[in-house]
Amino acid sequence: MNSRQPIPVVVLAGFLGSGKTTVLNHLLAGRGGTRIGVVVNDFGSIEVDAMSVAGQVGDSMVSLGGGCLCCAVDGSELDAYLEKLSAPVHRIDVIVIEASGLAEPQEMIRMLMASENPDIRYGGMVEVVDAAEFDATRAKHPETDRHLAVADLVVLNKTDRVDAGERARIERELAVLCAPGTPVVGADHGRIDPELLFDRRPWTETRGQLSFEDLLAEADGHDHDHGHDRCGHAHAAYESTEFTTEQALSPRRFIDFLDRRPAGLYRIKGFVHFGVPGYEECYEVHAVGRFLRFAPRPWGRGEARVSRLVLIGSGTDGPGLLRELEACREPAPHEALPESMWCVLRYVARPESGAESEHGSESGTEQGTEPSDEG
């Protein structure tokens, strides 16, 4: 039995010219010590020269210095390469799939949610949009609207090339095209904080007195502006709000809070203690945009039953969020009925129920990510 946590698989989509590869390169350069597996249809456009190539792993998969892996695959090979990337020997923390050229993002979401590989889990779909070519892209690629409808997070790239009025118009249109509550992150040159999508681990590998992170920062000092340090290490463009309580949370009030979270709240991560009879486990919560999942696990020996949450967003009211979370506290969780957990269990994967349970509206393990059959 594999005791490791499943590796999140993030789908990165966007049409040619939107800046999708630039976003990907920025995620790679700003990953800290996180080991990223990247699946693309052509890794020639990824700036692998920014990192040393460690050597061939097999077929079209290469291992990059610092723990990144890139695979050149087509849709039919996706499952096989995800299985390779998720093998414990690679110690991958997160996998990013560049969807263009592989498959429709909608079909890729279906494939990932139906996957029987216990080592991976779907981690949300990010759509990169070119602000300067928004209307032209929609006219040339009508399927853009379908992609936006299933996105969990939209990166409105190249905002430096449009004025404030044009950006506001595009954001209004995106609010109509996307599912309700889908957040839109503005960016220029593809620079978004990697921690909006995944946790960055501290660097542990060193060369002499310099860490690999220091060497990358030196490399970024000339023409290759990845925004690694320029963006700032601690969410320069975003606010981070932390919440901790030793009191259990009401499952219904907490889910209500998540359902009403503002569009500017891009990511939520942490652990929650509900304490409902029969459900006393620790519930890991992970949200990217409108994607939401809970993963129960046993509490560690001597581990305090404490809820800890980190909320990352832009333009959010930190004190207001804390007040709402304080209102979710439950002084008598032992008196709650087991059915009060049903609203949480909708977002818990249950492998024993089979892949179909992850798609069904009754189990609904992903909030707002159920691909529609339109188009």
Side-chain angles (χ1 to χ4, degrees):
M1 182 75 175
N2 187 359
S3 60
R4 296 188 309 147
Q5 289 293 317
I7 300 170
V9 180
V10 178
V11 177
L12 181 66
F15 289 100
L16 183 66
S18 65
K20 179 177 70 275
T21 301
T22 305
V23 171
L24 182 55
N25 284 325
H26 179 70
L27 294 176
L28 291 173
R31 70 192 181 279
T34 304
R35 298 178 67 87
I36 304 177
V38 182
V39 181
V40 295
N41 59 325
D42 179 8
F43 58 79
S45 57
I46 293 183
E47 298 171 13
V48 295
D49 57 329
M51 304 160 227
S52 59
V53 177
Q56 296 293 326
V57 174
D59 297 327
S60 55
M61 182 163 61
V62 296
S63 175
L64 303 181
C68 291
L69 294 175
C70 294
C71 315
V73 305
D74 60 31
S76 64
E77 297 173 309
L78 184 58
D79 277 336
Y81 276 97
L82 286 176
E83 185 173 352
K84 288 184 178 180
L85 283 171
S86 60
V89 66
H90 298 310
R91 296 183 290 118
I92 292 295
D93 298 308
V94 62
I95 297 172
V96 180
I97 299 178
E98 181 182 348
S100 179
L102 289 175
E104 280 281 316
Q106 184 176 4
E107 295 307 313
M108 190 165 296
I109 294 170
R110 291 185 189 276
M111 186 184 306
L112 291 171
M113 291 176 67
S115 174
E116 297 181 357
N117 184 348
D119 293 323
I120 65 169
R121 62 171 173 81
Y122 176 55
M125 192 276 237
V126 180
E127 179 78 7
V128 182
V129 174
D130 183 343
E133 299 292 334
F134 179 67
D135 295 327
T137 300
R138 288 185 67 201
K140 185 176 181 181
H141 301 285
E143 61 270 33
T144 299
D145 293 2
R146 184 172 66 247
H147 296 180
L148 288 168
V150 298
D152 297 296
L153 181 70
V154 174
V155 175
L156 183 59
N157 196 29
K158 305 185 186 180
T159 54
D160 56 314
R161 294 179 54 188
V162 298
D163 59 31
E166 177 66 0
R167 175 174 175 174
R169 179 190 70 84
I170 295 171
E171 289 178 343
R172 286 194 298 270
E173 292 202 34
L174 288 173
V176 174
L177 295 169
C178 298
T182 302
V184 177
V185 181
D188 63 84
H189 300 92
R191 291 177 291 200
I192 65 169
D193 193 324
E195 292 204 37
L196 292 180
L197 303 180
F198 54 81
D199 291 333
R200 275 187 294 200
R201 297 181 183 275
W203 283 89
T204 56
E205 298 170 281
T206 59
R207 179 182 294 172
Q209 297 301 310
L210 290 177
S211 70
F212 282 129
E213 186 173 38
D214 295 329
L215 295 172
L216 255 180
E218 285 185 1
D220 285 349
H222 34 82
D223 293 336
H224 301 332
D225 181 9
H226 299 289
H228 178 65
D229 285 329
R230 293 167 178 78
C231 284
H233 181 70
H235 319 299
Y238 314 104
E239 298 93 32
S240 178
T241 302
E242 297 185 7
F243 173 76
T244 302
T245 179
E246 296 180 359
Q247 203 164 30
L249 297 187
S250 161
R252 287 174 175 165
R253 291 198 293 275
F254 185 56
I255 289 295
D256 184 56
F257 164 79
L258 294 175
D259 286 342
R260 294 182 292 100
R261 64 191 186 271
L265 186 54
Y266 305 134
R267 188 170 183 223
I268 302 172
K269 59 181 180 177
F271 304 91
V272 179
H273 170 51
F274 293 114
V276 175
Y279 299 96
E280 289 91 353
E281 306 100 320
C282 172
Y283 281 77
E284 178 183 358
V285 59
H286 173 74
V288 173
R290 63 194 182 93
F291 168 83
L292 173 64
R293 167 165 286 190
F294 287 91
R297 66 163 175 82
W299 293 97
R301 179 173 304 211
E303 183 178 1
R305 269 57 169 173
V306 174
S307 294
R308 294 187 178 91
L309 296 169
V310 177
L311 303 92
I312 302 171
S314 177
T316 55
D317 176 9
L321 292 173
L322 291 176
R323 285 193 298 271
E324 291 190 54
L325 286 169
E326 289 285 351
C328 294
R329 296 193 299 177
E330 175 54 61
H334 57 281
E335 297 179 2
L337 297 176
E339 51 263 37
S340 66
M341 284 292 294
W342 290 354
C343 56
V344 172
L345 299 179
R346 292 181 61 236
Y347 304 110
V348 174
R350 292 187 291 274
E352 68 273 14
S353 300
E356 286 302 314
S357 69
E358 296 204 13
H359 285 290
S361 59
E362 293 182 5
S363 58
T365 55
E366 324 300 343
Q367 179 182 21
T369 58
E370 172 66 11
S372 65
D373 292 324
E374 61 185 55

